Amino acid sequence: MQVLDLSKTDLREVNATLQAQRADTNQTEWVIENPRGSHAVAVGLDAPISVTVKGSTGYYCAGMNKLATIHVEGSAGPGVAENMMSGTVIVEGDASQYAGATGRGGLLNIKGNASSRCGISMKGIDIVVHGSIGHMSAFMAQKGNLVVLGDAGDALGDSLYEARLFVRGTVKSLGADCIEKEMRHEHLALLAELLERTGADAKPEEFRRYGSARKLYNFNIDHADAY
Amino acid sequence: MDKTPQTLPRQSWTFSNEVNSEIRRAAATGIYDIRGGGAKRRVPHFDDLLFLGASISRYPLEGYRERCDTSVVLGTRFAKKPIELKIPVTIAGMSFGALSAHAKEALGRGATLAGTSTTTGDGGMTNEERGHSEKLVYQYLPSRYGMNPDDLRRADAIEVVVGQGAKPGGGGMLLGQKITERVAGMRDLPIGIDQRSACRHPDWTGPDDLEIKILELREITGWEKPIYVKIGGARPYYDTALAVKAGADVVVLDGMQGGTAATQDVFIENVGQPTLACIRPAVQALHDLGMHREVQLVVSGGIRSGADMAKALALGADAVAIGTAALVALGDNDPKWEEEYRKLGTTTGAYDDWHEGRDPAGITTQDPELMKRLDPVAAGRRLRNYLNVMTLECQTIARACGKSHVHNLEPEDLCALTMEAAAMARVPLAGTDWWPGKPGF
Ligand SMILES: Cc1cc2nc3c(=O)[nH]c(=O)nc-3n(C[C@H](O)[C@H](O)[C@H](O)COP(=O)(O)O)c2cc1C
């Protein structure tokens, strides 16, 4: 196990060291100590390594991650795992705004709550939040799955495209063009898999599914109020 | 026969035929007019400035014999690998999706032959474009369509787009008819639906966040690439200052005449400030922060010639960027397609329905048959020629003003033809030593 201490090593060196790891590296286990809310920790990684962050992070932890598994043992600031391509990011605590924003692949597993705009503009990522999420989550979400074990705030899925949203608790309100949809067999199977992979204590049958009504897909004057 | 003299039928200036035709169009369709291009109204522009040239107290350089350099380096502040350009004019960001793959390739070819850079746009980076552009700037837009770390790393610079002159505060819209399988795939969206690009970035708001966003982009790319911040001509003094504060290497400032692929006409014509009005405040901000020439300023919006370029440089820009003019050089709005423009209800020079994807010149389209009309090699050569002419023109003027580098052009070399232009450019009204707002008057 390799240890990088952010109280002694600067951010550039920590990131450069992790970014330099290739697919065949023998050093697959890394620990980052004393993150103390630093921004842009473990960003742009591109190898199947495992990185444990011993504490809380600032903005954009694990941004644009590819292949790596990044485990934040504290809470994560805004934009955790933004534009993630693949790999896994686990946040033991809570996540701030824009968690998983524009993510294109991989799995973001948030054990606590996530703030507003969780999954904004997501493009293929899977996000599982064990707690609740804030308002405007999944705004303009294009692709991927957002699973929430708790409640969702106002305007869930506003201007949604093809992303699938699953909420176990209450939804304060749905955004423009977002509707509740039938939970079909394939959705239950998908949920079961995501719940299992994230160690979530919930059953697929307890969730409701939300998706796009697809009424805003091509401009129509009769829907002008919704734009 | 009644011999009473008749007044001529009088058209209203307020309710002109053009205005009335738009009212009728709106009444029939219920939707605002969307179009491409920049502001068409006349606003104070570089045409309203003149160079003084040399005189007894300022001696000129010999054309063709004495050097007048044109090179520019962008990104000298923080980037390990700044961009070196032979000429101070770059190709502005124009999206793949709005433009065909051939057009993007032609832009890359032309820019490379001329020794300058080209820029991606909304919709991501294509291999054609990367392959044919020696220097490619990768835009980081609110939509983040196609965004990925590999393209970030294979770019030569990164441009964080905050705004565009044609629509400061507006997002984008690519209408369903232009969304082919390839375009949709790159954007992670279904084929044939309207694709809206958000007007705000999804994961940052305000200058403090932007600073952290820039840090993240630098960390992902090893602090190698220059980071540009592109702003629309809204509040050029403060936006330039805030971009510098957030850590930009280069500020790209786009005035209201700047082109767009598709925006509401009302937005294009009524929001933002003319390019001429934006340059001095931006340069002032750089001076106030001690950053002029340290953080480079690239100006765009209605640049058409070496004269426009020379004037922008004289006002303090380090380089200019072109969009519309580059498309015209490729073949946009060429009179040879007049018959087809007529069929589309328009005429050469006025064709601006770039969002509809039916461009007779094969540039703003994804239709395979129309696309074939543009030969990327020949079009690239035309662009190269045009860029070379712009540069020669700019050098001609600079030499006449006695400058051995185009960057030595200065406001003192200029006068203005109108009060408005004098006030905006802060250079004297021709024949006087005064401009509105000049300290001491
Ligand atoms: C067809 C077209 C597409 C454009 N697409 C983008 C874009 O994707 N991103 C962007 O920042 N600006 C875009 N622009 C604006 C240009 O980058 C540039 O600011 C503008 O064209 C400069 O003004 P000019 O056209 O008068 O030279 C586009 C412009 C045109 C004409």
Side-chain angles (χ1 to χ4, degrees):
Chain A
M1 193 178 70
Q2 312 291 315
V3 178
L4 297 164
D5 187 343
L6 266 169
S7 68
K8 299 194 189 115
T9 314
D10 72 14
L11 178 71
R12 180 76 288 265
E13 201 178 322
V14 168
N15 280 332
T17 306
L18 296 173
Q19 288 163 356
Q21 303 307 312
R22 293 285 154 257
D24 56 357
T25 180
N26 291 326
Q27 298 174 337
T28 54
E29 299 289 324
W30 295 81
V31 169
I32 298 178
E33 287 179 348
N34 296 308
R36 297 178 302 178
S38 298
H39 305 310
V41 171
V43 295
L45 304 196
D46 194 3
I49 57 174
S50 165
V51 179
T52 302
V53 184
K54 297 268 178 201
S56 296
T57 57
Y59 280 57
Y60 310 130
C61 177
M64 299 215 187
N65 183 50
K66 268 175 96 179
L67 302 170
T69 298
I70 298 169
H71 194 148
V72 180
E73 292 194 341
S75 291
V80 62
E82 69 88 17
N83 215 93
M84 173 153 67
M85 305 298 292
S86 60
T88 305
V89 174
I90 304 151
V91 179
E92 284 299 327
D94 298 322
S96 184
Q97 305 174 82
Y98 340 118
T102 76
R104 299 183 65 192
L107 174 66
L108 171 59
N109 181 5
I110 298 168
K111 301 282 182 71
N113 302 303
S115 180
S116 59
R117 297 185 168 82
C118 178
I120 183 171
S121 200
M122 55 195 269
K123 296 170 168 54
I125 190 176
D126 291 322
I127 303 176
V128 177
V129 181
H130 296 240
S132 298
I133 59 172
H135 68 270
M136 289 300 276
S137 287
F139 175 59
M140 289 180 93
Q142 296 175 209
K143 237 162 105 174
N145 303 292
L146 172 63
V147 180
V148 184
L149 275 69
D151 305 328
D154 266 323
L156 176 72
D158 195 283
S159 305
L160 190 64
Y161 291 101
E162 294 295 300
R164 282 173 291 216
L165 317 180
F166 302 94
V167 183
R168 184 165 71 159
T170 59
V171 172
K172 194 153 179 218
S173 67
L174 293 173
D177 214 29
C178 182
I179 53 168
E180 186 175 343
K181 290 189 160 179
E182 182 197 356
M183 184 77 92
R184 292 195 302 267
H185 191 69
E186 72 257 31
H187 304 122
L188 291 170
L190 177 92
L191 255 176
E193 192 231 305
L194 282 171
L195 293 170
E196 200 204 313
R197 277 173 66 202
T198 52
D201 182 19
K203 295 187 183 61
E205 296 75 21
E206 296 165 353
F207 289 77
R208 289 166 187 261
R209 179 168 82 97
Y210 304 89
S212 177
R214 303 191 179 99
K215 289 206 174 118
L216 301 181
Y217 274 18
N218 292 97
F219 186 87
N220 180 336
I221 188 61
D222 297 326
H223 300 143
D225 293 347
Y227 285 95
Chain B
M1 211 167 68
D2 184 3
K3 287 271 168 59
T4 316
Q6 301 283 305
T7 53
L8 287 170
R10 184 172 175 194
Q11 299 284 358
S12 166
W13 187 85
T14 308
F15 288 93
S16 63
N17 279 331
E18 207 173 86
V19 167
N20 291 351
S21 71
E22 169 53 19
I23 293 174
R24 282 188 287 272
R25 195 206 57 76
T29 63
I31 180 176
Y32 36 52
D33 185 27
I34 293 182
R35 67 169 177 88
K40 293 188 172 186
R41 63 158 79 221
R42 195 197 185 292
V43 293
H45 198 39
F46 296 114
D47 297 326
D48 303 315
L49 300 181
L50 295 175
F51 281 99
L52 301 176
S55 53
I56 296 179
S57 61
R58 306 276 190 284
Y59 59 89
L61 298 185
E62 197 66 66
Y64 304 107
R65 285 185 204 286
E66 290 178 299
R67 284 179 71 99
C68 176
D69 290 332
T70 59
S71 59
V72 56
V73 186
L74 301 178
T76 49
R77 185 184 184 193
F78 290 123
K80 278 193 225 154
K81 295 187 179 166
I83 292 212
E84 292 176 26
L85 304 178
K86 287 198 189 122
I87 57 175
V89 47
T90 69
I91 305 302
M94 292 183 272
S95 55
F96 169 67
L99 299 187
S100 70
H102 278 180
K104 289 300 276 177
E105 177 183 333
L107 292 172
R109 286 176 179 275
T112 301
L113 287 169
T116 191
S117 61
T118 183
T119 312
T120 65
D122 215 358
M125 185 189 288
T126 65
N127 283 333
E128 289 95 327
E129 183 172 34
R130 175 62 278 189
H132 292 287
S133 310
E134 194 193 318
K135 298 194 174 74
L136 182 61
V137 183
Y138 186 31
Q139 285 199 329
Y140 191 75
L141 292 123
S143 72
R144 308 280 165 86
Y145 288 139
M147 178 49 54
N148 70 82
D150 301 319
D151 285 345
L152 264 185
R153 292 189 181 112
R154 66 183 186 141
D156 299 292
I158 299 159
E159 182 169 301
V160 179
V161 179
V162 178
Q164 244 179 274
K167 47 175 176 177
M173 169 81 107
L174 196 58
L175 292 185
Q177 53 264 47
K178 279 181 88 168
I179 312 297
T180 60
E181 203 173 336
R182 182 172 179 202
V183 173
M186 281 177 69
R187 295 175 182 228
D188 293 300
L189 280 169
I191 300 171
I193 71 168
D194 297 346
Q195 304 203 343
R196 284 164 287 157
S197 298
C199 64
R200 292 203 305 261
H201 280 263
D203 58 355
W204 65 269
T205 30
D208 297 336
D209 283 8
L210 175 58
E211 185 174 349
I212 306 170
K213 178 48 76 177
I214 289 177
L215 169 75
E216 184 205 8
L217 294 172
R218 290 202 196 276
E219 282 294 323
I220 290 172
T221 53
W223 289 73
E224 280 183 357
K225 328 266 176 201
I227 304 224
Y228 304 6
V229 173
K230 176 172 180 175
I231 54 177
R235 293 175 183 79
Y237 181 87
Y238 291 107
D239 283 350
T240 302
L242 292 171
V244 171
K245 188 232 155 223
D249 291 304
V250 173
V251 174
V252 179
L253 171 64
D254 191 31
M256 79 173 284
Q257 298 100 311
T260 166
T263 300
Q264 300 91 329
D265 177 79
V266 71
F267 207 145
I268 300 175
E269 297 288 354
N270 294 286
V271 185
Q273 300 201 58
T275 305
L276 188 64
C278 295
I279 304 177
R280 289 310 289 273
V283 173
Q284 189 64 48
L286 293 171
H287 277 300
D288 289 351
L289 295 167
M291 285 289 173
H292 189 227
R293 305 282 187 228
E294 193 76 25
V295 168
Q296 287 77 34
L297 177 68
V298 179
V299 166
S300 62
I303 303 277
R304 304 150 299 177
S305 65
D308 290 351
M309 177 163 131
K311 289 167 188 174
L313 298 183
L315 294 178
D318 294 271
V320 297
I322 56 168
T324 307
L327 299 187
V328 174
L330 297 189
D332 172 63
N333 267 292
D334 194 305
K336 79 175 171 197
W337 306 112
E338 178 61 14
E339 211 171 298
E340 297 195 34
Y341 291 133
R342 295 258 158 147
K343 281 190 210 142
L344 295 170
T346 182
T347 185
T348 305
Y351 176 68
D352 58 13
D353 287 327
W354 297 348
H355 57 291
E356 289 180 349
R358 295 186 291 171
D359 183 1
I363 294 171
T364 55
T365 182
Q366 299 297 323
D367 177 326
E369 285 310 308
L370 291 172
M371 267 171 65
K372 274 193 215 147
R373 294 183 179 181
L374 187 79
D375 172 353
V377 178
R381 260 191 246 119
R382 285 195 295 275
L383 177 61
R384 187 259 332 251
N385 290 345
Y386 169 63
L387 290 168
N388 286 349
V389 170
M390 280 183 83
T391 307
L392 286 169
E393 288 175 343
C394 183
Q395 285 172 304
T396 302
I397 289 172
R399 282 201 186 90
C401 296
K403 313 296 185 189
S404 59
H405 194 294
V406 291
H407 283 158
N408 296 340
L409 287 164
E410 54 195 324
E412 200 272 333
D413 293 314
L414 293 166
C415 69
L417 286 171
T418 65
M419 296 272 269
E420 290 85 351
M424 291 175 188
R426 301 179 196 168
V427 301
L429 185 65
T432 78
D433 60 355
W434 172 85
W435 64 84
K438 182 177 180 182
F441 276 85

